[in-house]
């Protein structure tokens, strides 16, 4: 079903357009970041790390460790309570609100609960990032159909989210996350609702996007998954603090190409 | 219906517009319009605004016609019981006034017309019945080049004082003034009503937009996270209210037309001069036709500003 000859691979000319990463390949940098909701204690503390462009990251940790919270910072759903974040070479602390949409369009997100828009068909949900980015309607239909076919949903174009199974909704969510060819893909427990066969297929999809240059960050508590992507780097959250036992986050091993 | 119900309805009715999130406006195909309360609220507002405006315009027309009539009008009555003296003084007064520079024209009201004026009280053929005519004052209608000012009245009085000592000079505006003032107050009232109704319309749209925002908060957040701008989100609400306002406005205007035309016919059949002169001219009808258009624009602008303002508080 998930053929490797994927439509994402078709337009090769768009692959290397991530100009805003810095010379050393940094795509995201957290400096002593902390996050608290309201007046509660911090759910994330003292996070200092760098994500490098083109790498594959797993974010692990027990339930409640703060994985979703960290991803929310990454996809700009949340501003940190303290510390500094730099993304695509842009300092988020001083960034005016009006520039957030431009930055958000460069990150594809698979939400833990999918967050499909209930009144839109699968087609329109997937088309949304392209429409939001101002693409012409005639340029939208083809890619959207292709990517839905690619995730095995070509017979569900007009189906509303409510009529789709959990796994189908998840695939729509993934299609929506990657349709606009983001520089970074952030996925929150993307294999949580699918059987192990589908989980593996999704992982292969992420890997393929990664090979094309997309930086991938996948939050999961499924430790089996980690072993299936040999080149991946692992960030482990423990009660809101980042463990980097191997130093791989600060000094990632050179990639074998 | 309670306020809470109305607000909840307003929220529901918006949800459909996300069916095709119109980042490109053409995608937004609103379904089953005229279902929520908003189009009807707008219809009522537009109807009342158009009726108030029509009243204001009609009064305006009546006022400006009446003003032209009475402002430059001066009436001279020669009150003298003896026929020949009255006749002589009136003729002399006419001669004297004619020479004044600010007089545009004058007319001696003929005896037949004067008889006609008193006929309703005294009947015809008085002279034949009593053997003597009732001494009715002579009337001279003077039309000035501009409005009658006190110095001009004084000049007229001075010019005729010697030749017609029994003549009395009156500016017509002095006795029509209270009527005139009442009409102006009514006009001010109807214009204030138009403005108040516009304010009420904006307030209703503001409430509806706020509750729609609340009802669609999750969706707005998703659109934001996918890179949607505030303007794109606002455009969805703006378009939606635009459709409702255009539909409601058309119904409201039709309603108002029925009222205005039937009232107009009723007044016309009274045949009273002042009311007649208040008939609407084509520019007035054009202004009335603009009411739903301007209401739609006002509603859209209000929705846009409300939404943009509220979104600024979201990340
Ligand atoms: N919106 C929120 N308001 C308050 N507390 C929250 C909110 N979201 C998450 N938390 C708290 O933050 C902690 C981390 O949650 P989360 O980031 O969802 O962890 P994970 O995704 O690893 O399970 C938990 O203790 C959770 O209760
Ligand atoms: Mg989570």
């Amino acid at each position: 079903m998930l053929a490797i000859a994927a439509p994402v691979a078709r337009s090769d000319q768009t692959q290397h357009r991530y100009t805003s990463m810095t010379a050393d390949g940094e795509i995201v940098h957290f400096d002593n970041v902390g996050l608290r909701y309201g007046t509660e204690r911090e759910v994330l503390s003292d996070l200092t790390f760098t994500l490098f462009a083109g790498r594959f990251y797993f974010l692990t940790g027990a339930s409640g460790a703060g994985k979703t919270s960290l991803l929310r910072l990454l996809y700009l759903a949340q501003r940190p309570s303290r510390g500094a974040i730099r993304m695509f070479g842009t300092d988020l602390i001083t960034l005016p609100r009006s520039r957030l949409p431009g930055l958000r369009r460069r990150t594809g997100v698979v939400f833990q609960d999918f967050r499909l828009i209930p009144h839109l068909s699968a087609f329109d949900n997937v088309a949304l990032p392209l429409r939001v980015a101002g693409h012409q309607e005639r340029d939208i239909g083809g890619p959207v159909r292709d990517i839905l076919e690619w995730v095995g949903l070509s017979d569900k174009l007009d189906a509303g989210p409510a009529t789709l199974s959990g796994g189908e909704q998840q695939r729509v969510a993934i299609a929506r996350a990657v349709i606009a060819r983001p520089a970074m893909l952030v996925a929150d427990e993307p294999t949580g609702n699918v059987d192990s066969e589908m989980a593996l297929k999704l992982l292969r999809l992420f890997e393929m996007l990664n090979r094309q240059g997309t930086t991938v960050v996948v939050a999961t508590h499924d430790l089996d998954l980690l072993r299936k992507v040999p080149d991946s780097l692992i960030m482990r959250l423990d009660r809101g603090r980042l463990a980097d036992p191997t130093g791989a986050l600060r000094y990632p091993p050179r990639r074998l190409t | 219906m309670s306020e809470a119900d109305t607000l909840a309805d307003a929220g529901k009715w918006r949800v459909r517009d996300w069916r095709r999130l119109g980042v490109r406006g053409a995608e937004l195909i609103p379904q089953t319009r005229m279902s929520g309360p908003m189009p009807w609220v707008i219809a009522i507002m537009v109807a009342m605004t158009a009726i108030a405006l029509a009243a204001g315009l009609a009064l305006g027309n009546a006022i400006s016609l009446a003003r032209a009539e009475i402002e430059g009008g001066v009436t001279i009555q020669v009150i003298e019981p003896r026929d020949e003296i009255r006749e002589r003084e009136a003729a002399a007064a006419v001669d004297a006034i004619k020479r004044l520079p600010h007089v545009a024209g004058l007319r001696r009201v003929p005896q037949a017309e004067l008889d006609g004026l008193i006929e309703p009280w005294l009947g015809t053929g008085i002279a034949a019945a009593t053997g003597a005519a009732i001494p009715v004052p002579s009337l001279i209608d003077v039309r000035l080049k501009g409005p009658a000012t006190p110095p001009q009245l004084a000049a007229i009085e001075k010019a005729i004082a010697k030749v017609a000592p029994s003549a009395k000079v009156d500016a017509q505006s002095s006795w029509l003034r209270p009527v005139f003032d009442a009409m102006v107050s009514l006009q001010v009232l109807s214009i204030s009503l138009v403005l108040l109704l516009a304010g009420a319309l904006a307030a209703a749209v503001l409430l509806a937009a706020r509750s729609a925002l609340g009802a669609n908060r999750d969706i707005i957040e998703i659109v934001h996270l996918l890179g949607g701008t505030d303007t794109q989100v606002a455009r969805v609400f703006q378009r939606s209210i635009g459709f409702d306002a255009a539909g409601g406005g058309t119904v409201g205007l039709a309603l108002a037309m029925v009222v205005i035309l039937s009232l107009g016919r009723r007044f016309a059949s009274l045949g009273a001069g002042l009311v007649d002169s208040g008939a609407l001219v084509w520019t007035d009808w054009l202004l009335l036709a603009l009411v739903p258009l301007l209401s739609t624009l006002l509603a859209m602008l209000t929705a846009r500003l409300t939404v943009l303002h509220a979104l600024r508080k979201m990340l």
Side-chain angles (χ1 to χ4, degrees):
Chain A
M1 187 166 34
L2 293 183
I4 291 301
V8 183
R10 286 181 318 148
S11 52
D12 299 65
Q13 63 271 33
T14 58
Q15 280 180 31
H16 303 289
R17 64 195 165 112
Y18 310 136
T19 51
S20 60
M21 58 192 183
T22 49
D24 59 350
E26 168 202 306
I27 195 165
V28 173
H29 180 72
F30 275 46
D31 187 9
N32 206 21
V33 168
L35 174 68
R36 64 171 85 240
Y37 294 106
T39 56
E40 311 263 309
R41 57 172 187 79
E42 285 194 331
V43 298
L44 295 174
S45 296
D46 307 329
L47 297 184
T48 300
F49 64 89
T50 304
L51 299 184
F52 293 90
R55 307 224 57 136
F56 197 121
Y57 294 90
F58 277 113
L59 178 61
T60 67
S63 176
K67 300 184 293 297
T68 299
S69 300
L70 175 48
L71 293 192
R72 281 174 61 80
L73 290 173
L74 278 182
Y75 57 71
L76 304 177
Q78 193 85 52
R79 281 191 196 269
S81 314
R82 62 184 175 90
I85 298 178
R86 193 166 57 233
M87 211 171 220
F88 306 114
T90 306
D91 189 352
L92 292 190
I93 303 304
T94 56
L95 191 75
R97 208 180 151 271
S98 60
R99 289 207 32 221
L100 285 175
L103 229 48
R104 282 170 174 153
R105 284 175 198 172
R106 308 172 71 173
T107 304
V109 190
V110 184
F111 300 98
Q112 188 163 9
D113 47 355
F114 317 141
R115 310 196 72 174
L116 300 178
I117 294 182
H119 305 91
L120 295 180
S121 68
F123 180 96
D124 286 326
N125 264 289
V126 174
L128 202 51
L130 296 180
R131 291 191 170 134
V132 153
H135 288 276
Q136 293 298 309
E137 205 61 21
R138 62 183 141 80
D139 301 335
I140 288 176
V144 171
R145 265 183 287 274
D146 284 351
I147 204 144
L148 278 170
E149 185 185 345
W150 189 55
V151 294
L153 291 174
S154 42
D155 53 339
K156 303 276 186 183
L157 293 185
D158 297 321
T163 67
L164 297 174
S165 74
E168 286 169 335
Q169 289 184 38
Q170 186 146 37
R171 282 180 277 156
V172 174
I174 288 167
R176 185 180 67 183
V178 301
I179 183 78
R181 303 173 173 286
M184 178 165 71
L185 176 68
V186 173
D188 199 351
E189 312 263 7
T191 57
N193 291 272
V194 294
D195 56 44
S196 55
E197 193 190 351
M198 179 52 78
L200 203 58
K201 281 176 177 166
L202 291 177
L203 216 52
R204 294 289 162 258
L205 162 59
F206 291 159
E207 273 189 280
M208 202 201 61
L209 291 164
N210 179 239
R211 273 199 297 277
Q212 292 173 19
T214 306
T215 308
V216 177
V217 183
V218 177
T220 183
H221 59 253
D222 180 359
L223 296 176
D224 278 346
L225 224 51
L226 310 187
R227 275 185 295 249
K228 292 181 174 134
V229 185
D231 263 353
S232 60
L233 300 173
I234 295 162
M235 307 165 78
R236 201 160 62 76
L237 270 178
D238 186 12
R239 271 164 292 169
R241 288 174 188 274
L242 202 55
D244 183 17
T246 62
L249 291 175
R250 249 165 286 180
Y251 312 103
R254 261 183 200 289
R255 191 161 189 173
L256 304 170
T257 43
Chain B
M1 194 190 286
S2 75
E3 186 184 57
D5 283 346
T6 313
L7 291 182
D9 273 352
K12 264 184 251 150
W13 138 81
R14 297 277 177 217
V15 162
R16 291 187 199 94
D17 305 328
W18 295 96
R19 190 174 285 282
R20 294 190 147 270
L21 178 115
V23 175
R24 287 165 30 92
E27 263 23 290
L28 240 174
I29 298 161
Q31 313 246 317
T32 50
R33 284 285 131 209
M34 313 301 280
S35 53
M38 202 60 205
W40 301 108
V41 170
I42 291 174
I44 293 165
M45 296 279 191
V46 165
M48 292 197 296
T49 308
I51 292 167
L53 182 64
L57 291 169
L59 280 165
N61 291 342
I63 289 168
S64 61
L65 269 176
R67 175 175 286 148
E69 285 274 300
I70 64 181
E71 270 192 345
V74 175
T75 304
I76 294 167
Q77 307 176 66
V78 182
I79 306 165
E80 163 59 55
R82 288 158 299 179
D83 282 351
E84 320 108 64
I85 300 177
R86 183 170 74 235
E87 197 50 42
R88 182 157 27 89
E89 285 196 9
V94 166
D95 279 345
I97 295 164
K98 254 186 204 153
R99 283 195 289 273
L100 292 175
H102 54 276
V103 170
L106 83 176
R107 187 178 80 99
R108 203 102 188 239
V109 181
Q111 190 58 44
E113 222 173 282
L114 292 175
D115 287 345
L117 284 176
I118 57 167
E119 189 192 284
W121 289 279
L122 300 178
T124 50
I126 295 163
T130 60
I134 301 261
V136 181
S138 285
L139 284 184
I140 306 167
D141 252 345
V142 182
R143 191 130 298 281
L144 302 182
K145 285 174 180 152
T149 59
Q152 289 174 342
L153 289 178
I156 293 173
E157 272 166 0
K158 193 166 157 242
I160 61 174
K162 288 219 186 74
V163 292
S166 52
K168 190 166 158 286
V169 179
D170 276 314
Q172 287 165 6
S173 57
S174 60
W175 58 270
L176 271 175
R177 176 64 56 192
V179 180
F180 198 75
D181 286 348
M183 281 164 72
V184 171
S185 325
L186 275 176
Q187 195 193 23
V188 168
L189 179 69
S190 60
I191 291 168
S192 319
L193 270 178
V194 169
L195 295 179
L196 284 174
L197 284 165
L201 175 68
V205 170
L206 187 135
L207 283 178
R210 276 202 194 146
S211 75
L213 273 172
N216 293 293
R217 210 176 171 75
D218 289 349
I219 297 173
I220 293 170
E221 204 197 358
I222 298 169
V223 173
H224 267 158
L225 292 179
L226 296 181
T229 62
D230 291 353
T231 318
Q232 287 171 327
V233 173
R235 206 175 296 148
V236 175
F237 288 89
Q238 199 182 309
R239 279 181 60 84
S240 163
I241 191 79
F243 277 112
D244 287 344
T250 309
V251 172
L253 184 67
L255 217 73
M257 284 300 176
V258 171
V259 173
I260 293 167
L261 287 175
S262 67
L263 271 182
R265 191 165 306 161
R266 233 162 247 206
F267 276 120
S269 67
L270 286 179
L274 264 184
V275 181
D276 256 358
S277 62
L280 296 174
V281 297
W282 70 270
T283 44
D284 298 335
W285 292 110
L286 202 69
L287 276 179
L288 288 176
L290 282 180
V291 169
L293 195 73
L294 293 178
S295 301
T296 303
L297 290 179
L298 175 67
M300 288 174 77
L301 183 71
T302 307
R304 181 187 182 83
L305 294 181
T306 308
V307 171
L308 286 179
H309 182 79
L311 290 182
R312 241 180 281 147
K313 289 178 205 130
M314 288 175 84
L315 182 65

